[in-house]
Amino acid sequence: MTAISVKGLTKSYGDLVAVKDATFEVPLGTICGFVGPNGSGKTTTIRMLLSLISPTSGSGEILDEPISHPERYLSQVGAMIEGPAFYPALTGAENLRVIATLGGFPLERIPELLETVGLSGRGDDKYKTYSLGMKQRLGIAAALLPNPKLLILDEPTNGLDPAGIQEIRDLLSKLAKEGVTVFVSSHLLSEIEMISEYLVMLRKGEVIFFGKTEELLHRSRPTIVVKATKASDLKRLKKLVDEVGHPALLEGAELRIDADEKWGAELNELAFENEIVLKQITPVRPTLEETFFTMTEE
Amino acid sequence: MRIFRAEWRKLRRPTLFFGSMGAVVAVTALVVSLLFLLIDSEMGNADRGQRITRDILALPSGISIGFSSSAGLLGIVALCVFAAQTAQEYTYGTLRSLLVREPRRIRLLIGKYLSMGLFAFFTVMFSAITSVLLAFALSGIAKVSTNAWTTSEAWTNLFETFVNVLVSTFGYGTIGMVLGLLLRSPISSISIGVGWLFIVESILSIAWSPSGNWLPGSLLSVVASGGAPIGVTDVPSYSEAFIRVSAMITAAALVTGFMFKRRDVAS
């Protein structure tokens, strides 16, 4: 059983193809990051998964139910799409009561959820008085109302301060440990890298990667960053490593060599043989952000 | 039922509920007061400068005249509430939250409609109570006999007027909801609805009187009055008006409902 499974999902608006032939799977009980540049089709895909818009073609399943029958799975799905949306004249707690009543969820959970998202003291204040961060927290509380098996969050950390981001990250990790599948889109790739085991990456409406985050990062070319006791030796070292088939780039007092960390010993030996004393050899794996830019650039 | 109760949570908030009921009471009080206090005025004491005399007010139907005269204003309130409550789901972006919790869209609309219908029922009830109490209170000042007002005929008439005003208020509300769904903006739906029903239709009726036989606002005022409003001639009978306006509103509601069911929610 998968939490999300889509095959050939496409959404077109006339000539504009917002999502093209998207195919990916999200296993149960994981945190899956959903990343892509602005306008790459993330929100459109999420809207199709939640049946807010109908796909032009393709199919999908959420919790093993077809997306053409949202009434079969949405009671087990919590979602926050395109930021929080509530009634400004109602209090935070009353807004949650509206959603809970509509979904048939117990109202007793509301104080507990407000506490979970750090709004326990502000539940009786009107929504219109909330800061962006508080609105975001209320949106997450609303998404948690159904006690979901699958949580779909679109940019949940927007407007949150670093402490708030850390709290949300901890909350999502805790939920995943409890067996909740979290499908989260965010432009904060460092956050996604920290919490996501799985990743779906979009570019111009097409899925360019889906799978384990680790797999993606390992797929990217690693580098070894080198510093020499004499900076002038780096130019010579660059020529040497180039000759043995490892392209290198001189950046100030550093030489960045395209090579796996396993080649570090050979590099050290090569430098020693040529009377170059290295003061630092650091293997560097590209971050998700660097990988993302490499994969999504034109 | 869940949808009905969720919608009612929004409608019962004190500023909206008591604000609307307060406005209804105030407007009804104004209409009834003018009816009784201007009874001897040559400028008239009713809609369109009509004169409703002591003899007419002393009839069993006299107790309901003030109430039925308020129907148009109740219609404005219903149109505004139905349109605003529907269109604001688009402007606040809350429609997507509602549809995630209740993806069966037609059910969602029906639940919302019934809840707003209850709200409309309260407006009509508050208006009826205000008009009856004030009619008794002002009858002495206006020297209107109330002997016929306590007969069973008077109460039957009042009940019939209540039903007619309620039906007409539901009609205005439905138009408001249809406009809210089509225009997706509270301000646009209210201004276009009120502007058309109460300004454009009046101009059209004056310019070409037979148009009133087919305009929804004119037909709803015939329904609210249980026939031709006092001082108005050349209008269809109650049953004709009822059938025509019901057909128009039902068709508009069905088309809009179908569009809502199929339309992507992208905002």
Side-chain angles (χ1 to χ4, degrees), chain B:
Chain B
M1 196 61 192
R2 287 187 285 112
I3 306 162
F4 174 87
R5 286 193 293 125
E7 184 67 22
W8 186 248
R9 280 191 175 279
K10 292 182 262 169
L11 289 165
R12 73 178 187 186
R13 70 175 192 269
T15 43
L16 177 64
F17 188 83
F18 294 113
S20 301
M21 297 310 151
V24 162
V25 167
V27 164
T28 306
L30 180 69
V31 170
V32 177
S33 300
L34 291 175
L35 185 67
F36 282 86
L37 299 177
L38 297 180
I39 199 160
D40 294 319
S41 167
E42 289 183 2
M43 303 288 287
N45 59 347
D47 192 23
R48 302 170 207 227
Q50 297 300 316
R51 282 195 69 183
I52 296 172
T53 61
R54 279 187 183 80
D55 292 339
I56 295 172
L57 281 174
L59 293 171
S61 59
I63 194 172
S64 314
I65 292 175
F67 174 45
S68 67
S69 300
S70 309
L73 299 160
L74 294 176
I76 294 179
V77 172
L79 186 140
C80 294
V81 169
F82 279 58
Q85 287 296 117
T86 308
Q88 74 178 12
E89 305 292 4
Y90 287 97
T91 50
Y92 293 154
T94 43
L95 183 61
R96 55 180 189 259
S97 311
L98 299 183
L99 289 175
V100 166
R101 297 283 55 104
E102 180 46 84
R104 288 163 290 199
R105 296 185 180 192
I106 298 299
R107 275 196 199 195
L108 183 75
L109 278 190
I110 292 171
K112 277 178 81 72
Y113 183 80
L114 292 176
S115 202
M116 290 188 282
L118 179 64
F119 189 92
F121 173 83
F122 277 117
T123 64
V124 175
M125 198 179 70
F126 272 85
S127 176
I129 292 168
T130 307
S131 68
V132 169
L133 292 179
L134 208 56
F136 274 108
L138 295 174
S139 59
I141 300 167
K143 295 179 184 131
V144 173
S145 166
T146 60
N147 293 338
W149 290 4
T150 48
T151 61
S152 62
E153 191 186 347
W155 293 110
T156 305
N157 190 280
L158 181 63
F159 176 74
E160 284 171 3
T161 306
F162 184 88
V163 172
N164 290 333
V165 171
L166 189 62
V167 168
S168 127
T169 306
F170 269 56
Y172 283 109
T174 312
I175 293 171
M177 192 171 188
V178 165
L179 288 171
L181 285 170
L182 289 176
L183 301 172
R184 294 179 251 181
S185 151
I187 293 170
S188 306
S189 4
I190 291 170
S191 51
I192 289 176
V194 172
W196 173 266
L197 291 170
F198 298 96
I199 300 170
V200 177
E201 281 202 15
S202 299
I203 294 168
L204 285 174
S205 299
I206 292 164
W208 188 51
S209 57
S211 66
N213 293 340
W214 296 98
L215 295 171
S218 307
L219 294 172
L220 282 171
S221 63
V222 172
V223 171
S225 308
I230 293 169
V232 179
T233 54
D234 200 20
V235 292
S237 68
Y238 175 85
S239 55
E240 278 176 332
F242 182 82
I243 290 167
R244 283 179 198 173
V245 77
S246 300
M248 282 180 201
I249 290 175
T250 305
L254 287 175
V255 170
T256 313
F258 180 75
M259 283 168 61
F260 177 71
K261 187 172 161 49
R262 310 260 313 170
R263 194 160 60 188
D264 285 346
V265 176
S267 59

Side-chain angles (χ1 to χ4, degrees), chain A residues 42-140:
Chain A
K42 298 189 297 291
T43 303
T44 304
T45 306
I46 290 178
R47 284 194 200 126
M48 284 192 278
L49 298 179
L50 296 171
S51 192
L52 294 173
I53 60 177
S54 38
T56 308
S57 62
S59 61
E61 287 187 350
I62 304 276
L63 302 170
D64 280 355
E65 298 289 352
I67 57 171
S68 51
H69 286 282
E71 72 283 358
R72 293 186 192 162
Y73 62 82
L74 281 180
S75 60
Q76 302 172 74
V77 175
M80 185 175 74
I81 326 122
E82 290 177 274
F86 293 100
Y87 305 99
L90 299 183
T91 66
E94 191 61 11
N95 266 298
L96 291 185
R97 281 184 211 115
V98 170
I99 306 278
T101 307
L102 183 61
F105 311 129
L107 299 181
E108 294 73 37
R109 291 199 69 215
I110 290 170
E112 174 200 325
L113 286 175
L114 286 170
E115 197 175 336
T116 304
V117 297
L119 281 178
S120 51
R122 298 294 304 271
D124 291 332
D125 292 341
K126 287 196 173 175
Y127 177 72
K128 62 185 170 190
T129 66
Y130 281 13
S131 67
L132 180 58
M134 291 164 71
K135 289 175 178 174
Q136 203 74 10
R137 287 163 189 266
L138 191 68
I140 294 168

